[in-house]
Amino acid sequence: SLDHRELFLGTVIHASEYSDFRPFKGKHVVVVGAANTGVDICEDLAHGSAASITMVQRGPMCVVSRDNIAKVLQQIWPDNIPVEISDFKSASMPLGLIKDFNIANQAQQWEAEKVLYDKLRKAGVKLWLGPEGEGQLILANQRAGGKRCS
């Protein structure tokens, strides 16, 4: 069987091999994958003057801005509490309970990122908070090998 990459005359690299935009300046680029790394690479290529950038998205993705992640992290690890105590409190929170909270608060999750989500949807990006609305933390845990939370 023929490897389709043999038919493509351009450069093919994995995201782990990407270092900067310079080799792609003025070129037409396709980024396969719309998760954080794919988005970061597209942004770098856009600032680096690629002629065009097309991102291929297989399915919907859960996006949370770094500002909102920073707010959540500041709540979990506030500056006025020793890290060891915050670590203990965080580790003792059952993921199933976090999932339940996130599902119950889907409307707030969508509203907190409304400006970002509107821009992404306008660009054609499909978004979701998970099959039940459980949010990024639970999705990441389950996709990284954690067991399903119920």
Side-chain angles (χ1 to χ4, degrees):
S1 89
L2 181 63
D3 182 354
H4 288 90
R5 284 192 288 181
E6 293 175 8
L7 300 173
F8 181 69
L9 302 178
T11 302
V12 177
I13 64 169
H14 185 270
S16 64
E17 300 170 43
Y18 180 85
S19 59
D20 70 74
F21 63 84
R22 284 180 283 222
F24 305 99
K25 187 173 183 171
K27 296 190 178 183
H28 301 278
V29 181
V30 175
V31 176
V32 179
N36 289 350
T37 301
V39 171
D40 288 346
I41 289 172
C42 286
E43 182 179 22
D44 191 53
L45 290 166
H47 292 297
S49 302
S52 69
I53 305 159
T54 300
M55 180 172 31
V56 178
Q57 180 181 12
R58 181 178 58 194
M61 65 181 188
C62 185
V63 175
V64 181
S65 69
R66 81 172 158 239
D67 290 343
N68 279 331
I69 287 176
K71 286 177 192 175
V72 170
L73 292 176
Q74 185 61 38
Q75 289 172 347
I76 297 170
W77 287 277
D79 293 334
N80 61 339
I81 296 179
V83 172
E84 297 80 11
I85 292 173
S86 294
D87 284 347
F88 180 78
K89 288 167 66 175
S90 175
S92 66
M93 176 67 78
L95 287 175
L97 185 57
I98 294 170
K99 179 180 178 180
D100 290 346
F101 286 152
N102 288 352
I103 291 170
N105 293 301
Q106 288 179 63
Q108 291 91 331
Q109 291 182 70
W110 287 113
E111 186 59 33
E113 299 286 2
K114 184 177 179 357
V115 172
L116 172 63
Y117 290 166
D118 287 348
K119 289 178 185 178
L120 290 170
R121 284 188 185 106
K122 185 177 180 183
V125 175
K126 298 176 196 83
L127 300 169
W128 75 328
L129 294 175
E132 299 175 73
E134 59 268 37
Q136 189 181 53
L137 173 67
I138 301 300
L139 286 171
N141 178 270
Q142 291 174 343
R143 288 182 175 182
K147 68 178 190 168
R148 288 230 168 259
C149 302
S150 51

Coordinates of all heavy atoms in Angstrom, one line a residue, residues 61-129:
M61 N -13.9 20.6 20.3 CA -12.9 20.7 21.3 C -13.4 21.6 22.5 O -14.2 22.4 22.3 CB -11.6 21.2 20.8 CG -11.6 22.6 20.3 SD -9.9 23.0 19.6 CE -10.1 24.7 19.3
C62 N -12.8 21.3 23.6 CA -13.1 22.1 24.8 C -11.9 23.1 25.0 O -10.8 22.7 25.1 CB -13.2 21.2 26.0 SG -13.6 22.0 27.5
V63 N -12.2 24.4 25.0 CA -11.2 25.4 25.0 C -11.5 26.3 26.3 O -12.6 26.6 26.6 CB -11.3 26.3 23.8 CG1 -10.4 27.5 23.9 CG2 -11.1 25.6 22.5
V64 N -10.4 26.6 27.0 CA -10.5 27.5 28.1 C -9.3 28.4 28.0 O -8.2 28.0 27.8 CB -10.4 26.7 29.5 CG1 -10.5 27.7 30.7 CG2 -11.5 25.6 29.6
S65 N -9.6 29.7 28.1 CA -8.6 30.7 28.0 C -7.6 30.7 29.1 O -8.0 30.2 30.2 CB -9.2 32.1 27.9 OG -9.7 32.5 29.1
R66 N -6.4 31.1 28.9 CA -5.4 31.1 30.0 C -5.8 32.0 31.1 O -5.5 31.7 32.3 CB -4.0 31.4 29.5 CG -3.8 32.8 29.3 CD -2.3 33.1 28.9 NE -2.3 34.4 28.3 CZ -1.9 34.6 27.1 NH1 -1.3 33.7 26.4 NH2 -1.9 35.8 26.5
D67 N -6.6 33.1 30.8 CA -7.0 34.0 31.9 C -8.0 33.3 32.8 O -7.9 33.4 34.0 CB -7.7 35.2 31.3 CG -6.7 36.2 30.6 OD1 -5.5 36.0 30.8 OD2 -7.1 37.0 29.8
N68 N -8.9 32.5 32.2 CA -9.9 31.8 33.1 C -9.2 30.7 33.8 O -9.5 30.4 35.0 CB -11.1 31.4 32.3 CG -12.1 32.5 32.2 OD1 -12.1 33.4 33.0 ND2 -12.8 32.5 31.1
I69 N -8.2 30.0 33.2 CA -7.5 29.0 33.9 C -6.7 29.6 35.1 O -6.7 29.0 36.2 CB -6.6 28.2 33.0 CG1 -7.4 27.3 32.0 CG2 -5.5 27.4 33.7 CD1 -6.6 26.6 31.0
A70 N -6.1 30.7 34.8 CA -5.4 31.4 35.9 C -6.3 31.8 37.1 O -5.9 31.6 38.2 CB -4.7 32.7 35.4
K71 N -7.5 32.2 36.8 CA -8.5 32.5 37.9 C -8.8 31.3 38.7 O -8.8 31.3 39.9 CB -9.8 33.1 37.3 CG -9.7 34.5 36.8 CD -11.0 34.9 36.2 CE -10.8 36.2 35.4 NZ -12.1 36.6 34.7
V72 N -9.0 30.2 38.0 CA -9.3 28.9 38.7 C -8.1 28.5 39.6 O -8.3 28.1 40.7 CB -9.7 27.8 37.7 CG1 -9.8 26.5 38.4 CG2 -11.1 28.2 37.1
L73 N -6.9 28.5 39.0 CA -5.7 28.1 39.7 C -5.5 29.0 40.9 O -5.1 28.6 42.0 CB -4.5 28.1 38.8 CG -4.5 27.1 37.7 CD1 -3.3 27.2 36.8 CD2 -4.6 25.7 38.3
Q74 N -5.8 30.3 40.8 CA -5.6 31.3 41.9 C -6.6 30.9 43.0 O -6.3 31.1 44.2 CB -5.8 32.7 41.4 CG -5.6 33.7 42.5 CD -4.1 33.7 43.1 OE1 -3.2 33.5 42.3 NE2 -4.0 33.9 44.4
Q75 N -7.8 30.4 42.7 CA -8.8 30.0 43.7 C -8.3 28.8 44.4 O -8.5 28.6 45.6 CB -10.2 29.8 43.1 CG -10.8 31.0 42.6 CD -12.1 30.7 41.8 OE1 -12.4 29.6 41.4 NE2 -12.9 31.8 41.6
I76 N -7.7 27.8 43.7 CA -7.3 26.6 44.2 C -6.0 26.8 45.1 O -5.9 26.2 46.1 CB -7.1 25.5 43.1 CG1 -8.4 25.2 42.4 CG2 -6.5 24.2 43.7 CD1 -8.3 24.4 41.2
W77 N -5.1 27.6 44.5 CA -3.8 27.8 45.2 C -3.7 29.3 45.5 O -2.8 30.0 44.9 CB -2.7 27.3 44.3 CG -2.5 25.9 44.3 CD1 -1.9 25.1 45.3 CD2 -3.0 24.9 43.3 NE1 -2.0 23.8 44.9 CE2 -2.7 23.6 43.7 CE3 -3.7 25.1 42.1 CZ2 -3.0 22.5 43.0 CZ3 -4.1 24.0 41.4 CH2 -3.7 22.7 41.8
P78 N -4.5 29.9 46.4 CA -4.3 31.3 46.7 C -3.0 31.6 47.3 O -2.4 30.8 48.0 CB -5.5 31.6 47.7 CG -5.9 30.2 48.2 CD -5.5 29.2 47.2
D79 N -2.5 32.8 47.1 CA -1.2 33.3 47.6 C -1.1 33.2 49.1 O 0.0 33.1 49.6 CB -0.9 34.7 47.1 CG -0.7 34.8 45.6 OD1 -0.4 33.7 45.0 OD2 -1.0 35.8 45.0
N80 N -2.2 33.4 49.8 CA -2.1 33.5 51.3 C -2.2 32.2 52.0 O -2.3 32.1 53.2 CB -3.2 34.5 51.8 CG -4.6 34.0 51.5 OD1 -4.8 33.2 50.6 ND2 -5.6 34.5 52.2
I81 N -2.2 31.0 51.3 CA -2.3 29.7 51.9 C -1.1 28.9 51.4 O -0.8 28.9 50.3 CB -3.6 29.0 51.5 CG1 -4.8 29.8 52.0 CG2 -3.7 27.6 52.0 CD1 -6.2 29.2 51.7
P82 N -0.5 28.2 52.4 CA 0.7 27.4 51.9 C 0.3 26.4 50.8 O -0.7 25.8 50.9 CB 1.1 26.7 53.2 CG 0.6 27.5 54.3 CD -0.7 28.1 53.8
V83 N 1.2 26.2 49.9 CA 1.0 25.3 48.8 C 0.7 23.9 49.2 O -0.2 23.3 48.6 CB 2.3 25.3 47.8 CG1 2.1 24.3 46.8 CG2 2.5 26.7 47.2
E84 N 1.3 23.4 50.3 CA 1.0 22.1 50.7 C -0.4 21.9 51.1 O -1.0 20.8 50.9 CB 2.0 21.7 51.9 CG 3.4 21.7 51.6 CD 4.1 23.1 51.5 OE1 3.4 24.1 52.0 OE2 5.2 23.2 51.1
I85 N -1.0 22.9 51.7 CA -2.4 22.8 52.2 C -3.3 22.8 50.9 O -4.2 22.1 50.8 CB -2.7 24.0 53.2 CG1 -2.0 23.7 54.5 CG2 -4.2 24.1 53.4 CD1 -2.1 24.8 55.5
S86 N -3.0 23.7 50.0 CA -3.8 23.8 48.8 C -3.7 22.5 48.0 O -4.7 22.0 47.4 CB -3.4 25.0 47.9 OG -3.7 26.2 48.6
D87 N -2.5 22.0 47.9 CA -2.3 20.7 47.2 C -3.2 19.6 47.8 O -3.8 18.8 47.1 CB -0.8 20.2 47.3 CG 0.1 21.0 46.3 OD1 -0.4 21.7 45.4 OD2 1.3 20.8 46.5
F88 N -3.2 19.5 49.2 CA -4.0 18.5 49.9 C -5.4 18.7 49.6 O -6.2 17.7 49.3 CB -3.7 18.6 51.4 CG -4.4 17.6 52.2 CD1 -4.1 16.3 52.2 CD2 -5.6 18.0 52.9 CE1 -4.8 15.3 52.9 CE2 -6.3 17.0 53.6 CZ -5.9 15.7 53.6
K89 N -5.9 19.9 49.7 CA -7.3 20.2 49.4 C -7.7 19.9 48.0 O -8.8 19.3 47.8 CB -7.6 21.7 49.7 CG -7.6 22.0 51.2 CD -7.6 23.5 51.5 CE -8.9 24.2 51.1 NZ -8.9 25.6 51.5
S90 N -6.9 20.2 47.1 CA -7.1 19.9 45.7 C -7.2 18.4 45.4 O -8.1 17.9 44.7 CB -6.1 20.6 44.8 OG -6.3 20.2 43.4
A91 N -6.2 17.7 46.0 CA -6.1 16.2 45.7 C -7.2 15.5 46.4 O -7.6 14.4 46.0 CB -4.7 15.7 46.2
S92 N -7.8 16.1 47.4 CA -8.9 15.4 48.2 C -10.3 15.6 47.6 O -11.2 15.0 48.0 CB -8.9 15.8 49.6 OG -9.2 17.2 49.8
M93 N -10.4 16.5 46.5 CA -11.7 16.7 45.9 C -11.9 15.6 44.9 O -11.2 15.5 43.9 CB -11.7 18.1 45.2 CG -12.9 18.4 44.4 SD -14.4 18.6 45.5 CE -14.1 20.2 46.1
P94 N -13.0 14.8 45.1 CA -13.2 13.7 44.1 C -13.6 14.2 42.7 O -14.3 15.2 42.6 CB -14.5 13.0 44.7 CG -14.5 13.5 46.2 CD -13.9 14.8 46.2
L95 N -13.0 13.6 41.7 CA -13.2 14.0 40.3 C -14.7 13.9 40.0 O -15.2 14.7 39.2 CB -12.4 13.2 39.4 CG -10.9 13.6 39.4 CD1 -10.1 12.7 38.4 CD2 -10.7 15.0 39.0
G96 N -15.4 12.9 40.5 CA -16.8 12.8 40.2 C -17.6 14.0 40.7 O -18.6 14.4 40.1
L97 N -17.2 14.5 41.9 CA -17.9 15.7 42.4 C -17.6 16.9 41.5 O -18.5 17.7 41.3 CB -17.4 15.9 43.9 CG -18.1 17.1 44.6 CD1 -19.7 16.9 44.6 CD2 -17.6 17.2 46.0
I98 N -16.3 17.1 41.1 CA -16.0 18.2 40.2 C -16.8 18.1 38.9 O -17.3 19.1 38.4 CB -14.5 18.2 39.9 CG1 -13.7 18.5 41.2 CG2 -14.1 19.1 38.8 CD1 -12.2 18.2 41.0
K99 N -16.9 16.8 38.4 CA -17.7 16.6 37.2 C -19.1 17.1 37.4 O -19.7 17.8 36.6 CB -17.7 15.1 36.8 CG -18.5 14.8 35.6 CD -18.4 13.4 35.2 CE -19.3 13.0 34.0 NZ -19.2 11.6 33.7
D100 N -19.7 16.7 38.5 CA -21.1 17.1 38.8 C -21.2 18.6 38.9 O -22.2 19.2 38.4 CB -21.6 16.5 40.2 CG -21.8 15.0 40.1 OD1 -21.9 14.4 38.9 OD2 -21.9 14.3 41.1
F101 N -20.3 19.3 39.6 CA -20.3 20.7 39.7 C -20.2 21.4 38.3 O -21.0 22.3 38.0 CB -19.1 21.3 40.5 CG -19.2 21.1 42.0 CD1 -18.1 20.9 42.7 CD2 -20.5 21.0 42.6 CE1 -18.2 20.8 44.1 CE2 -20.6 20.8 44.0 CZ -19.4 20.7 44.7
N102 N -19.3 20.8 37.4 CA -19.1 21.4 36.1 C -20.4 21.2 35.2 O -20.8 22.1 34.5 CB -17.9 20.8 35.4 CG -16.6 21.3 36.0 OD1 -16.6 22.2 36.8 ND2 -15.5 20.7 35.6
I103 N -21.0 20.0 35.3 CA -22.2 19.8 34.6 C -23.3 20.7 35.0 O -24.0 21.3 34.2 CB -22.6 18.3 34.7 CG1 -21.6 17.4 34.0 CG2 -24.1 18.1 34.1 CD1 -21.8 15.9 34.2
A104 N -23.5 20.9 36.3 CA -24.5 21.8 36.8 C -24.2 23.3 36.5 O -25.2 24.1 36.4 CB -24.6 21.7 38.4
N105 N -23.0 23.6 36.2 CA -22.6 25.0 35.9 C -22.2 25.2 34.5 O -21.4 26.2 34.2 CB -21.5 25.4 36.9 CG -22.0 25.5 38.3 OD1 -22.9 26.2 38.6 ND2 -21.4 24.7 39.2
Q106 N -22.7 24.5 33.5 CA -22.4 24.6 32.1 C -22.6 26.1 31.6 O -21.8 26.6 30.9 CB -23.1 23.7 31.2 CG -22.7 22.2 31.4 CD -23.5 21.3 30.5 OE1 -23.5 21.4 29.3 NE2 -24.3 20.4 31.2
A107 N -23.8 26.6 32.0 CA -24.1 27.9 31.4 C -23.0 29.0 31.8 O -22.6 29.8 31.0 CB -25.5 28.4 32.0
Q108 N -22.6 28.9 33.1 CA -21.5 29.8 33.5 C -20.2 29.6 32.8 O -19.5 30.5 32.5 CB -21.3 29.7 35.0 CG -22.4 30.2 35.9 CD -23.5 29.1 36.2 OE1 -23.6 28.1 35.4 NE2 -24.1 29.2 37.3
Q109 N -19.9 28.3 32.5 CA -18.7 28.0 31.7 C -18.7 28.6 30.3 O -17.8 29.2 29.9 CB -18.5 26.5 31.6 CG -18.1 25.8 32.9 CD -17.9 24.3 32.7 OE1 -16.9 23.9 32.1 NE2 -18.8 23.5 33.2
W110 N -19.9 28.5 29.6 CA -20.0 29.1 28.3 C -20.0 30.6 28.4 O -19.3 31.2 27.6 CB -21.4 28.6 27.7 CG -21.4 27.2 27.2 CD1 -22.1 26.2 27.7 CD2 -20.6 26.6 26.2 NE1 -21.9 25.0 27.1 CE2 -21.0 25.3 26.1 CE3 -19.7 27.1 25.3 CZ2 -20.4 24.4 25.2 CZ3 -19.1 26.3 24.3 CH2 -19.5 24.9 24.3
E111 N -20.6 31.2 29.4 CA -20.7 32.6 29.5 C -19.3 33.2 29.9 O -18.9 34.3 29.4 CB -21.7 33.0 30.6 CG -21.9 34.5 30.7 CD -22.4 35.2 29.4 OE1 -23.1 34.6 28.7 OE2 -22.0 36.4 29.2
A112 N -18.5 32.5 30.7 CA -17.2 33.0 31.1 C -16.2 33.1 29.9 O -15.3 34.0 29.9 CB -16.5 32.0 32.1
E113 N -16.5 32.4 28.8 CA -15.6 32.4 27.6 C -16.3 32.9 26.4 O -15.9 32.7 25.3 CB -15.1 31.0 27.3 CG -14.2 30.4 28.4 CD -12.8 31.0 28.6 OE1 -12.5 32.0 27.8 OE2 -12.1 30.6 29.4
K114 N -17.5 33.6 26.6 CA -18.3 34.0 25.5 C -17.6 34.8 24.3 O -17.7 34.4 23.2 CB -19.5 34.9 25.9 CG -20.5 35.3 24.8 CD -21.6 36.0 25.4 CE -22.6 36.4 24.3 NZ -22.4 36.1 22.9
V115 N -16.8 35.7 24.7 CA -16.0 36.5 23.7 C -15.1 35.6 22.8 O -15.1 35.6 21.6 CB -15.3 37.7 24.3 CG1 -14.4 38.4 23.3 CG2 -16.2 38.7 25.0
L116 N -14.3 34.8 23.5 CA -13.4 33.9 22.9 C -14.2 32.9 22.0 O -13.9 32.6 20.8 CB -12.6 33.1 23.9 CG -11.7 32.0 23.3 CD1 -10.7 32.5 22.4 CD2 -11.1 31.2 24.5
Y117 N -15.3 32.3 22.6 CA -16.1 31.3 21.9 C -16.7 31.9 20.6 O -16.8 31.2 19.6 CB -17.1 30.7 22.8 CG -16.5 29.8 23.9 CD1 -17.3 29.4 24.9 CD2 -15.2 29.3 23.8 CE1 -16.8 28.6 25.9 CE2 -14.7 28.5 24.8 CZ -15.5 28.1 25.9 OH -15.1 27.3 26.9
D118 N -17.2 33.1 20.7 CA -17.8 33.7 19.5 C -16.8 33.9 18.4 O -17.1 33.6 17.2 CB -18.4 35.1 19.9 CG -19.7 35.0 20.7 OD1 -20.3 33.9 20.8 OD2 -20.1 36.1 21.3
K119 N -15.6 34.3 18.7 CA -14.5 34.4 17.7 C -14.2 33.1 17.1 O -14.0 32.9 15.9 CB -13.3 35.0 18.3 CG -13.4 36.5 18.7 CD -12.1 37.0 19.3 CE -12.2 38.4 19.8 NZ -11.0 38.9 20.5
L120 N -14.0 32.0 18.0 CA -13.7 30.7 17.5 C -14.8 30.1 16.6 O -14.5 29.6 15.5 CB -13.4 29.8 18.6 CG -12.1 30.1 19.4 CD1 -12.0 29.2 20.7 CD2 -10.9 29.8 18.5
R121 N -16.0 30.3 17.0 CA -17.2 29.8 16.2 C -17.2 30.5 14.8 O -17.5 29.9 13.8 CB -18.5 30.0 16.9 CG -18.7 29.0 18.0 CD -20.1 29.1 18.6 NE -20.3 28.2 19.7 CZ -20.3 28.6 21.0 NH1 -20.3 29.9 21.3 NH2 -20.5 27.7 21.9
K122 N -17.0 31.8 14.8 CA -17.0 32.6 13.6 C -15.9 32.1 12.6 O -16.1 32.1 11.4 CB -16.7 34.1 13.9 CG -16.8 35.0 12.7 CD -16.6 36.4 13.1 CE -16.7 37.3 11.8 NZ -16.4 38.7 12.1
A123 N -14.8 31.6 13.2 CA -13.7 31.0 12.4 C -14.0 29.5 12.0 O -13.2 28.9 11.3 CB -12.4 31.1 13.1
G124 N -15.1 29.0 12.4 CA -15.5 27.6 12.1 C -15.1 26.5 13.0 O -15.2 25.4 12.7
V125 N -14.6 26.9 14.2 CA -14.2 25.9 15.2 C -15.4 25.4 15.9 O -16.3 26.1 16.3 CB -13.2 26.6 16.2 CG1 -12.8 25.6 17.3 CG2 -11.9 27.1 15.5
K126 N -15.4 24.1 16.0 CA -16.5 23.4 16.8 C -16.1 23.3 18.2 O -15.0 22.8 18.5 CB -16.8 22.0 16.2 CG -17.2 22.0 14.7 CD -17.4 20.6 14.2 CE -17.4 20.6 12.7 NZ -16.1 20.7 12.0
L127 N -17.0 23.7 19.1 CA -16.7 23.7 20.6 C -17.7 22.8 21.3 O -18.8 22.6 20.9 CB -16.8 25.1 21.1 CG -15.9 26.1 20.5 CD1 -16.3 27.5 20.9 CD2 -14.4 25.9 20.8
W128 N -17.2 22.3 22.5 CA -18.1 21.6 23.4 C -17.4 21.6 24.7 O -16.2 21.9 24.9 CB -18.4 20.2 22.9 CG -17.3 19.2 23.0 CD1 -15.9 19.4 22.9 CD2 -17.4 17.8 23.2 NE1 -15.2 18.2 23.0 CE2 -16.1 17.2 23.2 CE3 -18.5 16.9 23.4 CZ2 -15.9 15.9 23.4 CZ3 -18.2 15.6 23.6 CH2 -16.9 15.1 23.6
L129 N -18.2 21.2 25.8 CA -17.7 21.0 27.1 C -17.6 19.6 27.5 O -17.4 19.2 28.7 CB -18.5 21.8 28.1 CG -18.6 23.3 28.0 CD1 -19.6 23.9 28.9 CD2 -17.2 23.9 28.2

